[in-house]
Amino acid sequence: MNYFVYFCTLLNMHITMKKSLLILAAALLLTSVSAIAQNKIDSQGRRQGHWVRTDKDGSKIYEGEFADGLETGTFTYYYRNGNVRIRNNYVVPGKRCMHEAYDEQGHLIARGEYNQKNRDGLWRFYAEDGRLVKEAHYAMGVKHGLHVVYNREGDTAEVANWSNNHRHGRWWKRIGRDGYITGVYVNGGLEGRLVEYNDAQELIREGFYKDGFKHGSYRYFEHGQMTINETWNHGMLADREVRLLLPEERFVSIHSMACLAPQGKAKVVIYLKDGTKLVTHESSEVVYDRLGNEYFAFANRKGRVLVAQECVQGMGKDREGREILLLDPQPDFDIFLDEDGVKMVRSAQYRDNSPLDEFRPSKD
C-alpha cells in the first residue's frame, strides 16, 4: 500500500471539512448579523428599522418598518403557506393605516382604514370572486352611517342606517327579485309602520311597532286582499282574525274556534266554542296556514284534524275500544287519536298539573 497516497487523501479530506465548517460558520454569522441588523431596538427600548418576525418553525409572521417604536410604511402579515394575510399602509405612523385583508388563497376580502386600531370611515367587503358584498361606515370602531349589502347580481340587497352601533333610521331589504320590506329603526328597535311587497309590488304585510315590539294592528294580504288581521300589545298577540269564505267573506277570531276538520279537498268544517258549525270553501292547507300554531295542534295528522289545545279534556274510548279525543265542546264526530294526538293530550294535561288519566269514560 502506498502510505504517501493514503496520507495525502486524509489531508485533503481534513482540509475540505475545515473549509465546509468555515463556510457554515460564516453563513450562520451572517444570518445572525442580518437578524440583529433587522430587528433593532434602540437605547430607549423602541423598535427601529426593518423588522421580520417568524414563528418557531421559521415561517414569517410579519415584516415591516419601525420608526421610534411606531409602524411606518407598509406592514405585511402572512399565513403559514406564505400568502399575504394582511397589508397595512400607514399614513400616520402607528396610528392610521389603509388596511387590506386576504384569505389563504390570496383573495381580497376587506379594505378600509384603521384609526388607532379602530375601523373608521368607509369599509368594503368582498367575496372570493372579487364581488363587492357589503359597504359599511364606522366611526372609531362603532357602526355609524350607511350600511349597504349587495346580492350576487350586484344589486342592492339591504340598506340600513346605523348610529352608535344600533340601527337607527330607514331600513330597506330586498325580498325575492323585486319585492322588499321597509321600516324605521330607532336606537336598534323597529318603530312605527312596517310594510312588505312581493315581486308583483302587491302589499303582503303591514304592521306597527313600538319600542321594537309589534304593537297595534298587524295585517297580512294575498293578491291585494287582507287574509289575517292581528292585534298586538307590546309583543303579545291579543287576537288573530282569519278570513273565511262561507261562501261569503267573514273574519273569525282563532280564539272562538274549538276544532277544524277537512271535508273533501276544498272545504273545512269549523266547530266554534259556542256550538256553531261553519263550512269554509277553501283547502285545509290554506286555512291552517292562516291560523298559526300558538293555540292549535293536530289530534290526527293524517286526517288533518286540528284542535284548540285549551279545549282538550282528555282521552276516552268509543264503543269499539278505540282511543278518541274528548273536547269541550264536543264535535258531532269522533276524533281518533294518532301518536301525535296522544302526546298532545298528555302534554296539555301535564301543563295543567292535572293527573294523567290513561282513559276517561266516553260520553254516550
Side-chain angles (χ1 to χ4, degrees), residues 126-319:
Y126 302 87
E128 286 185 1
D129 59 4
R131 174 175 49 86
L132 179 64
V133 296
K134 184 177 180 180
E135 291 181 304
H137 285 82
Y138 296 85
M140 293 301 291
V142 302
K143 295 178 180 179
H144 192 86
L146 191 65
H147 282 228
V148 182
V149 178
Y150 299 94
N151 60 22
R152 288 188 172 276
E153 290 71 37
D155 297 323
T156 304
E158 186 174 8
V159 179
N161 285 283
W162 289 74
S163 177
N164 196 28
N165 261 354
H166 296 290
R167 280 181 175 171
H168 188 80
R170 174 66 60 184
W171 168 70
W172 180 95
K173 183 176 181 179
R174 184 185 299 274
I175 304 294
R177 189 187 72 251
D178 296 318
Y180 65 92
I181 181 171
T182 186
V184 174
Y185 277 88
V186 175
N187 295 323
L190 282 166
E191 191 75 25
R193 182 172 178 257
L194 177 142
V195 292
E196 181 179 352
Y197 292 86
N198 61 17
D199 285 341
Q201 298 300 293
E202 297 172 334
L203 178 65
I204 59 175
R205 177 162 53 128
E206 178 187 42
F208 292 85
Y209 287 79
K210 185 175 182 180
D211 302 323
F213 297 100
K214 290 180 180 178
H215 185 74
S217 175
Y218 216 93
R219 302 182 297 169
Y220 296 83
F221 300 82
E222 295 175 13
H223 306 297
Q225 293 186 318
M226 185 173 66
T227 56
I228 301 173
N229 185 21
E230 296 177 341
T231 302
W232 290 79
N233 185 12
H234 281 92
M236 300 293 292
L237 179 63
D239 194 14
R240 177 183 292 131
E241 294 181 327
V242 299
R243 174 176 173 264
L244 302 175
L245 296 178
L246 304 173
E248 74 285 357
E249 181 183 293
R250 176 178 168 183
F251 280 83
V252 178
S253 170
I254 60 173
H255 294 296
S256 68
M257 301 178 185
C259 175
L260 300 93
Q263 190 178 71
K265 293 184 178 181
K267 291 184 180 180
V268 178
V269 180
I270 302 174
Y271 296 84
L272 302 183
K273 293 177 181 178
D274 64 4
T276 303
K277 184 168 72 172
L278 305 175
V279 179
T280 180
H281 296 264
E282 295 175 283
S283 69
S284 60
E285 287 77 11
V286 170
V287 176
Y288 292 178
D289 186 56
R290 296 171 185 166
L291 297 179
N293 55 14
E294 295 95 341
Y295 302 105
F296 297 93
F298 280 108
N300 188 301
R301 188 172 295 275
K302 184 176 180 180
R304 303 285 293 169
V305 178
L306 201 66
V307 297
Q309 297 184 62
E310 65 180 13
C311 295
V312 173
Q313 300 300 299
M315 292 184 293
K317 286 190 176 182
D318 67 0
R319 289 185 173 84

Side-chain angles (χ1 to χ4, degrees), residues 1-12:
M1 180 177 184
N2 191 328
Y3 289 99
F4 177 75
V5 174
Y6 177 68
F7 174 76
C8 289
T9 301
L10 290 176
L11 181 60
N12 187 49

